[in-house]
Amino acid sequence: MPDQVVNYQCPACTGPLHFASGSGQLECEYCGSSFSVEEVESFYAEKARRAAEAAPKAGKSEGATDTVEETQIPAGTESGAGGPLAEKEEPESSSWDSSEAGAEWGADAESMRSYSCPSCGAELMCEATTAATQCPYCGNPTIVPGQLSGGMKPNYVIPFKLDKNSAIDALKKHFGRHLFLPGSFKSQSQLKKIQGIYVPFWLFDGSAEAECSFHASNVSTYREGDYRVTRTAHYDVERGGTVSFAMVPTDASKKMPDDLMDSLEPFDYKGLKAFSMAYLPGYLADKYDVSLKESSERADSRCRSSAKELMRRDVTGYGSVSLRSARVSINRGKVHYALLPVWMLKVKWANQEYTFAMNGQTGKMVGNLPVSEARFRGFVAALGLVLAVLFYLLRLGPGIAWLIVSMLQEI
């Protein structure tokens, strides 16, 4: 067997390479050289080929090459005439096709390192040259290194597009957008840890047959003599059709809250790349611990909800619309395994730690901030005063109210 790549060294000076999200290149900190992922893979493939040719050929067999099937990522809906409705969602008889949901790591495992956090149980992996000193989830400074074993190799990866400085700038803007943030938070809070991590996701393809019944109404008012008449028209509305889904995401990490990951969506799947370890240097990657079977229930739920929402969007021209009954049948297709980029940031303030996450591709920042009760009470008081003044002006009558407003404008 040919020698396996233990780390990615610069072809020019043999210094360590790291993946730079800004340029999308692997860069050398020593000589300043930069290479594309394809160039580095080609370089090491040629190196391995020469090593294989130089080694004794007796008793050797050719190594297998992992392949990734090229998959289109369409998204669209079709609507047709609805049939009879049922109150319950139909049970599914088919299962998700997991034949393409990852492959064995094989010889690539020799160039990977595994870390286990004794505090929260996180099992992380990275390229051999990436040093990990702290758990990005719980902040525990002691994580135990080991050799990667088990698990599946991802089909796809979305490389980091935004670097560490972009994440810090986005966090500062996130602070500035919150009206009720305590004044001392910006000046006294400390960024304790920032780490780029590839979060594991299962991506589901499929379709849904949906038949929905809605109750809709329109309200109109008019005068008949001394009376004001309110007329409410009620309608029964039905919608049905087939909804196609592609790459429905469910995160496969128990440590990462689902609502946090949902808030980071959407990812732009046009940026999906066939998985290569050349994207890992400088980052950690979480090893999935939510099975495909566990995630499939959440995928089914997301598909059903989306199908009903799309049927609801097609009901237009009414004042109010409510879902009365629905029948959704899921046609399960293929499942893919991907690593998606997330920056994890931990901020300490007033002896408390706050966790924020940023989409490493789009820059979307999420995370809860403390609230200043004094600022919130002041806002409520000011709003109440404004409403009271407006109510008083309306009671004076349109003419007097207009006169007062005009005088205030002149001042």
Side-chain angles (χ1 to χ4, degrees):
M1 179 180 293
D3 294 336
Q4 297 301 319
V5 178
V6 176
N7 53 41
Y8 286 97
Q9 295 178 324
C10 175
C13 72
T14 70
L17 294 173
H18 71 278
F19 180 76
S21 56
S23 64
Q25 304 274 311
L26 284 117
E27 299 179 353
C28 177
E29 297 179 357
Y30 290 88
C31 69
S33 300
S34 62
F35 307 90
S36 68
V37 170
E38 292 77 13
E39 288 173 335
V40 172
E41 288 181 332
S42 177
F43 173 79
Y44 277 104
E46 177 63 21
K47 183 178 179 180
R49 186 189 65 79
R50 290 197 302 266
E53 291 177 350
K57 296 183 179 180
K60 288 187 175 289
S61 60
E62 294 185 359
T65 302
D66 291 328
T67 60
V68 179
E69 180 180 344
E70 183 179 352
T71 306
Q72 293 184 345
I73 313 170
T77 61
E78 295 180 1
S79 296
L85 299 175
E87 293 294 330
K88 296 182 180 180
E89 293 165 344
E90 294 183 345
E92 317 301 337
S93 57
S94 61
S95 60
W96 291 101
D97 182 359
S98 61
S99 61
E100 295 183 7
E104 295 293 337
W105 279 100
D108 285 335
E110 296 181 23
S111 60
M112 299 288 289
R113 182 176 294 170
S114 175
Y115 287 95
S116 296
C117 177
S119 176
C120 71
E123 194 167 355
L124 307 167
M125 57 187 180
C126 59
E127 201 268 343
T129 59
T130 300
T133 59
Q134 192 177 53
C135 177
Y137 293 111
C138 69
N140 179 29
T142 304
I143 53 180
V144 183
Q147 185 64 39
L148 177 68
S149 62
M152 302 294 289
K153 180 179 178 180
N155 302 110
Y156 301 107
V157 60
I158 293 181
F160 275 86
K161 189 175 181 180
L162 301 172
D163 60 13
K164 182 183 297 185
N165 291 331
S166 298
I168 295 174
D169 291 341
L171 183 64
K172 293 177 181 178
K173 292 180 181 179
H174 186 65
F175 292 169
R177 286 195 292 264
H178 289 261
L179 180 64
F180 307 124
L181 188 69
S184 62
F185 186 86
K186 292 183 182 180
S187 59
Q188 297 179 10
S189 61
Q190 295 178 331
L191 180 61
K192 302 296 292 184
K193 181 66 178 176
I194 178 171
Q195 175 68 61
I197 180 169
Y198 283 106
V199 179
F201 275 79
W202 300 113
L203 305 177
F204 297 81
D205 294 343
S207 63
E209 303 288 338
E211 295 177 340
C212 299
S213 175
F214 300 91
H215 171 262
S217 63
N218 280 326
V219 179
S220 60
T221 59
Y222 57 92
R223 280 194 170 276
E224 285 189 357
D226 295 334
Y227 298 94
R228 180 181 295 273
V229 179
T230 299
R231 178 177 179 272
T232 303
H234 298 271
Y235 304 90
D236 292 326
V237 183
E238 296 182 359
R239 291 291 187 271
T242 300
V243 182
S244 298
F245 298 100
M247 302 291 185
V248 176
T250 65
D251 71 274
S253 172
K254 291 181 179 179
K255 285 80 62 183
M256 196 68 81
D258 290 340
D259 57 348
L260 190 67
M261 288 296 94
D262 291 348
S263 300
L264 286 179
E265 295 177 16
F267 287 88
D268 183 3
Y269 291 139
K270 293 179 181 178
L272 279 174
K273 307 289 185 182
F275 177 79
S276 169
M277 290 190 299
Y279 294 112
L280 296 186
Y283 304 99
L284 296 178
D286 195 359
K287 189 177 178 182
Y288 74 86
D289 54 6
V290 179
S291 69
L292 180 58
K293 182 178 180 181
E294 292 174 296
S295 294
S296 64
E297 296 179 3
R298 188 159 179 259
D300 287 348
S301 176
R302 297 194 74 175
C303 290
R304 288 193 182 100
S305 298
S306 296
K308 288 185 284 189
E309 175 60 23
L310 287 171
M311 295 298 108
R312 165 63 183 84
R313 291 180 189 177
D314 198 51
V315 181
T316 59
Y318 302 97
S320 66
V321 179
S322 60
L323 179 66
R324 190 167 58 187
S325 64
R327 185 178 68 186
V328 182
S329 176
I330 304 296
N331 301 313
R332 298 185 176 101
K334 292 186 180 298
V335 185
H336 314 278
Y337 177 30
L339 297 180
L340 306 185
V342 176
W343 282 104
M344 298 294 295
L345 305 96
K346 291 188 178 294
V347 173
K348 189 174 182 180
W349 177 76
N351 296 322
Q352 294 188 40
E353 197 171 75
Y354 297 84
T355 300
F356 302 89
M358 189 189 86
N359 186 315
Q361 181 194 36
T362 66
K364 186 177 182 180
M365 176 71 70
V366 297
N368 294 324
L369 289 166
V371 175
S372 170
E373 294 185 4
R375 289 193 175 190
F376 180 74
R377 288 196 298 267
F379 175 79
V380 172
L383 181 61
L385 178 61
V386 171
L387 292 176
V389 170
L390 290 175
F391 179 73
Y392 177 72
L393 291 175
L394 289 174
R395 291 190 63 185
L396 291 176
I400 300 297
W402 178 84
L403 178 62
I404 294 175
V405 172
S406 298
M407 292 174 62
L408 291 174
Q409 288 177 341
E410 292 181 1
I411 296 175

